């Protein structure tokens, strides 16, 4: 998330697992950075309402479809909530972003990053709404 935030001129909001908000210093910091607490493993309706509210106000929300860092560097299946958010907010613009190399820099289970090349790919696309 920090790499994507550095590239943006807008304030970005992110999902973050609820456990992170209980960590001293980190919890208050991620709140100030616009994070939205989400209870993993459940359908967190409060978090979904928060995202819809932000999108309706024209705010930018970063969603990571996999929901977590990959355990092996391979792309993981997307969580179903991401598709639902996209379908329910047709006014929101979508900007696909792929972060390459983050697994090498910060594998799961590590708190301190290691030196590794990270490339952030941004693809500008337009959403089309077709009625057939």
């Amino acid at each position: 998330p920090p790499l994507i935030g550095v590239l943006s001129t807008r304030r970005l909001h992110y999902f973050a697992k609820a456990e992170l908000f209980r960590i001293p210093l980190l919890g208050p910091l991620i709140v100030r950075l616009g994070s939205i607490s989400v209870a993993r493993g459940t359908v967190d309706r409060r978090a979904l309402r928060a995202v819809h509210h932000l999108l309706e106000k024209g705010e930018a929300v970063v969603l990571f479809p996999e929901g977590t860092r990959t355990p092996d560097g391979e792309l993981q299946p997307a969580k179903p909530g991401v598709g639902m958010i996209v379908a329910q907010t047709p006014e929101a613009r979508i900007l696909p972003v792929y972060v390459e190399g983050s697994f090498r820099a910060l594998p799961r289970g590590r708190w301190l990053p290691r030196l590794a090349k990270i490339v952030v790919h941004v693809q500008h696309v337009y959403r089309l709404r077709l009625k057939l």
Side-chain angles (χ1 to χ4, degrees):
L3 292 174
I4 296 170
V6 167
L7 296 174
S8 178
T9 57
R10 298 179 64 186
R11 180 167 194 230
L12 303 176
H13 300 273
Y14 308 87
F15 272 143
K17 61 183 178 180
E19 297 85 0
L20 295 178
F21 290 82
R22 294 190 285 269
I23 298 173
L25 299 177
L26 179 61
L29 175 64
I30 61 177
V31 167
R32 287 186 53 83
L33 293 175
S35 295
I36 303 159
S37 173
V38 63
R40 297 190 316 161
T42 67
V43 176
D44 189 340
R45 288 182 172 81
R46 187 210 43 79
L48 293 172
R49 280 193 302 271
V51 168
H52 285 285
H53 178 70
L54 288 166
L55 291 173
E56 287 172 357
K57 289 181 9 183
E59 296 287 329
V61 177
V62 177
L63 301 173
F64 295 95
E66 297 169 275
T68 188
R69 287 183 281 168
T70 174
D72 57 7
E74 297 297 317
L75 190 63
Q76 303 298 304
K79 300 291 183 188
V82 173
M84 185 180 71
I85 291 168
V86 170
Q88 291 180 347
T89 54
E91 69 282 357
R93 290 179 292 178
I94 299 171
L95 182 66
V97 176
Y98 171 66
V99 181
E100 177 185 357
S102 59
F103 173 73
R104 289 185 300 281
L106 190 62
R108 285 175 72 172
R110 287 188 57 118
W111 282 88
L112 294 175
R114 56 174 86 137
L115 291 177
K117 180 180 177 180
I118 297 175
V119 179
V120 179
H121 301 270
V122 180
Q123 178 65 46
H124 187 65
V125 297
Y126 297 94
R127 178 188 284 206
L128 298 176
R129 293 189 55 87
L130 302 175
K131 291 187 179 182
L132 302 175

